[in-house]
Amino acid sequence: MGDPVADNPMPALPPSTEPPLPSAPPADDPAAAAMQPPPNLTAREGIPALTHLARSLGLLGLEGWSVGLLIWGARAAWRLLPYAVANEITAKGRVVLLADMFGTAFGACLLATVYMLVRRRRADVLGVVDGVARRLAPLIVVGLLPFLLNWSIWNGRELSFLILAAVFVLGVRPLLTLSLSAPPLLGQSLTLIGLGVTLQAFRARHARFFERLPLGIVIAGAAYYAGFFAYHTVVHHRNILSTSLDLGLEDNLVWNALHGGPLFKSSPYSGPTGSHGGNHVTFFAYAIALFYFFAQRAETLLVLQAVVLGAAAIPLFLFARRHIEPWQACVVALCYLLYPPLHGSNLYDFHYLPLGSFFLWLT
């Protein structure tokens, strides 16, 4: 008996008619990756080209409208309050407002239209416009910033402020998600590829500098904070706007601690023989006295407070860097320096409790 397999060989498969799959670029070759053509946006999402066009121009129009409102709000100055509160604005001012908003929106759509007409032969021209519109999506809410940052509008209108702030915050996240979902723009541009390779080589050559840059930014931010608030709190005090109950009693307490007076003696609050220890046992006053020795006045306490509160960003950065990336830790530290309640405590005379942040994060 013969071998059935040898007697009946399997017929050869016909050659495949499907085009070969494109090979992926190496992971370590950014230039080759950038040269890959972007995916066909319309085919991938199954959305008609006209719908894509309407969505892209609509997004660009909203972004331009919001930027126009931001520009007008930045120039409005004192006219912003009556407009926001009572819709009071002159006829000329209303024309300027509408021109800023709709002019910017029309300009954004016009630029996109001109680009599509000039580059109409490109297969992905609509994808580029749609990508730009999505990349700029967070601009839709920036028009609210002049109103949110003007405290005089919201004096006595806390609920209205809360509602507008909630709209802003809840709108930022989906807009950022939409922005980050957009594909890289102009990936096939040789100029951008060359620039990216050059920047990558520069960063590799100066790797040590870039490793230390986040810490340097935090130190610079802390120094700026200290100088800014030291100046303004001293000016506030010299305009006789500080209070004896807070700054005065602490200044007297530290002065007595430096000159060997009774324990926690503070004459403005407790009289010539009383002690402030019944309210706060502030042994830290003796540590402050070491710096107070060089300039024995209330301004020294204000400057010291600004320096310590600003310097707290440094141990916060070092602590955060143990758990997240250095640049993320840098953002956390800068957010601390921009935190309004921190500013409020710094501007309210001198107190010991705000100084604790530095030593907490240092520990």
Side-chain angles (χ1 to χ4, degrees):
M1 295 178 63
D3 189 350
V5 176
D7 295 341
N8 299 284
M10 294 182 63
L13 295 176
S16 175
T17 58
E18 296 184 0
L21 294 176
S23 59
D28 57 348
D29 190 355
M35 289 294 290
Q36 294 297 313
N40 189 318
L41 196 62
T42 303
R44 184 185 65 191
E45 297 184 2
I47 298 177
L50 184 60
T51 304
H52 257 308
L53 177 62
R55 183 179 71 177
S56 303
L57 293 182
L59 278 174
L60 289 172
L62 286 174
E63 292 154 8
W65 178 87
S66 181
V67 170
L69 182 60
L70 174 67
I71 294 173
W72 179 85
R75 294 188 288 109
W78 59 269
R79 297 185 296 273
L80 192 63
L81 175 61
Y83 173 72
V85 173
N87 196 27
E88 294 179 1
I89 188 173
T90 63
K92 180 180 178 181
R94 196 175 299 276
V95 170
V96 173
L97 171 60
L98 295 176
D100 282 344
M101 292 191 299
F102 291 100
T104 312
F106 177 78
C109 295
L110 180 62
L111 284 176
T113 303
V114 170
Y115 173 80
M116 287 189 291
L117 290 176
V118 173
R119 307 300 297 271
R120 61 184 179 275
R121 296 184 181 278
R122 288 187 54 175
D124 62 334
V125 60
L126 187 55
V128 171
V129 174
D130 185 76
V132 171
R134 287 196 284 167
R135 282 288 182 185
L136 301 179
L139 293 179
I140 292 177
V141 293
V142 298
L144 299 177
L145 290 178
F147 301 92
L148 288 172
L149 299 179
N150 191 327
W151 67 269
S152 58
I153 296 176
W154 311 109
N155 189 18
R157 302 177 182 86
E158 289 77 12
L159 181 59
S160 300
F161 173 78
L162 180 62
I163 293 174
L164 186 61
V167 170
F168 180 86
V169 173
L170 294 176
V172 166
R173 180 178 180 182
L175 292 174
L176 282 176
T177 302
L178 178 62
S179 176
L180 296 175
S181 69
L185 301 178
L186 305 177
Q188 300 182 60
S189 172
L190 294 178
T191 303
L192 292 180
I193 293 172
L195 179 61
V197 172
T198 302
L199 290 177
Q200 186 177 13
F202 177 82
R203 182 168 184 175
R205 184 179 304 173
H206 303 279
R208 186 179 297 273
F209 168 78
F210 281 97
E211 289 176 1
R212 298 177 178 178
L213 186 58
L215 177 59
I217 292 175
V218 173
I219 293 175
Y224 178 81
Y225 177 98
F228 181 88
F229 280 93
Y231 170 79
H232 283 284
T233 51
V234 169
V235 169
H236 184 269
H237 169 65
R238 291 183 176 178
N239 280 282
I240 322 178
L241 296 173
S242 52
T243 61
S244 173
L245 185 61
D246 290 299
L247 182 60
L249 72 87
E250 299 296 350
D251 180 45
N252 188 261
L253 191 153
V254 175
W255 191 93
N256 281 293
L258 177 65
H259 291 84
L263 185 65
F264 304 133
K265 174 178 171 55
S266 181
S267 298
Y269 183 79
S270 52
T273 58
S275 171
H276 190 58
N279 297 279
H280 300 288
V281 181
T282 52
F283 285 102
F284 195 64
Y286 290 89
I288 294 176
L290 301 176
F291 302 93
Y292 190 84
F293 170 80
F294 298 98
Q296 301 176 27
R297 58 180 71 97
E299 289 88 340
T300 303
L301 301 181
L302 297 174
V303 172
L304 179 65
Q305 178 175 246
V307 170
V308 173
L309 292 184
I314 299 174
L316 172 60
F317 167 80
L318 298 176
F319 171 73
R321 193 176 61 176
R322 298 169 64 94
H323 303 278
I324 56 179
E325 295 295 327
W327 283 105
Q328 297 173 353
C330 176
V331 172
V332 170
L334 294 180
C335 287
Y336 159 78
L337 294 174
L338 295 172
Y339 190 47
L342 173 69
H343 307 163
S345 63
N346 204 155
L347 293 170
Y348 181 38
D349 291 343
F350 174 84
H351 299 89
Y352 293 95
L353 288 177
L355 306 180
S357 300
F358 175 85
F359 298 97
L360 174 65
W361 289 324
L362 185 64
T363 303

